[in-house]
Amino acid sequence: MGVSAGPSVRDAARAIFAFFRDRSPAWTAGALALGAIVLYLCVPFPGEHKWDALMTASALARPHMVDARALFFFAHPLVIPLTYPFVWIAPDALAATELREIVFGGVVVALVFLGVRGTTGSRIAGLLAALAMVLANFRWRLCTLGEEKEIALAFGGAFMLLYLDHAGGLSLGIASWRARSPRVRKIVLAVLLGCAFAVHLVNGVLFLVLA
């Protein structure tokens, strides 16, 4: 008698897809973000920390030496305050900048899934795009070592997708967002837009979305 080989890889893939298919887009996005964060933590990026990471770490380690002029000079005044919570977890200030980007890198993966799913109407396309984003981060180190690129993408991307959903340009499938009144959604969008600018002035291009 032959011995059963057990479930095949194809059956496992189908089971995984069925599991995500029965979940809401918001739940799936959260799971993808968490998975990306855990993966980034388990497989850290090699290489040297760049200028922005060193600047932020220096400001966190010696806050008494950083005045308002120096804070605003680097065009991302909100990045340093948003990094403070990670200092409580990370072993040092430089590691905190990397941990911040890892967490917000997971948020970007979730936004990629929501954006592609909302644009194409295909959950599979959203999952493949999110996977491609994770792989690209590993291959080309797009999730940089302490730079403020992921946090800028997270705030800017969140504003853009929620604005397009609010305006009817696409449907993210987030019921709690659509359930809010237009006034509440506009307030949230205004706060997100302000935070996106404060994180990095490069998000000023978001004005083109409103034009």
Side-chain angles (χ1 to χ4, degrees):
M1 292 179 61
V3 179
S4 174
S8 64
V9 175
R10 182 178 298 179
D11 292 335
R14 287 176 178 174
I16 293 173
F17 174 72
F19 176 79
F20 280 104
R21 182 184 58 195
D22 297 333
R23 299 300 188 274
S24 68
W27 190 97
T28 304
L32 289 171
L34 182 60
I37 291 170
V38 172
L39 189 61
Y40 293 158
L41 286 173
C42 293
V43 186
F45 295 95
E48 298 179 355
H49 292 84
K50 304 303 181 183
W51 165 250
D52 288 334
L54 296 171
M55 183 278 298
T56 302
S58 298
L60 292 172
R62 301 176 179 85
H64 60 281
M65 299 179 63
V66 182
D67 56 15
R69 178 177 177 275
L71 186 66
F72 283 94
F73 174 78
F74 291 102
H76 45 72
L78 191 57
V79 167
I80 293 176
L82 286 175
T83 312
Y84 271 112
F86 297 99
V87 177
W88 304 334
I89 306 173
D92 55 62
L94 194 57
T97 64
E98 184 174 354
L99 180 59
R100 182 202 67 221
E101 289 300 282
I102 286 175
V103 171
F104 280 96
V107 174
V108 171
V109 170
L111 292 174
V112 168
F113 164 77
L114 290 173
V116 173
R117 179 204 165 276
T119 303
T120 64
S122 170
R123 184 181 292 263
I124 295 179
L127 289 172
L128 290 177
L131 178 61
M133 185 67 184
V134 174
L135 294 177
N137 279 339
F138 275 105
R139 175 61 180 84
W140 293 288
R141 283 187 285 169
L142 298 179
C143 185
T144 49
L145 291 172
E147 304 293 286
E148 71 281 353
K149 306 304 183 290
E150 296 299 315
I151 192 173
L153 285 172
F155 277 94
F159 167 80
M160 185 179 68
L161 292 179
L162 290 176
Y163 174 80
L164 291 175
D165 187 291
H166 167 74
L170 55 77
S171 175
L172 297 178
I174 303 178
S176 58
W177 173 247
R178 283 292 182 93
R180 305 298 178 187
S181 67
R183 181 179 181 181
V184 171
R185 293 203 299 265
K186 289 178 180 178
I187 292 174
V188 173
L189 289 171
V191 172
L192 269 178
L193 184 60
C195 290
F197 287 168
V199 164
H200 204 296
L201 294 182
V202 72
N203 279 325
V205 298
L206 291 174
F207 272 121
L208 297 176
V209 178
L210 302 175

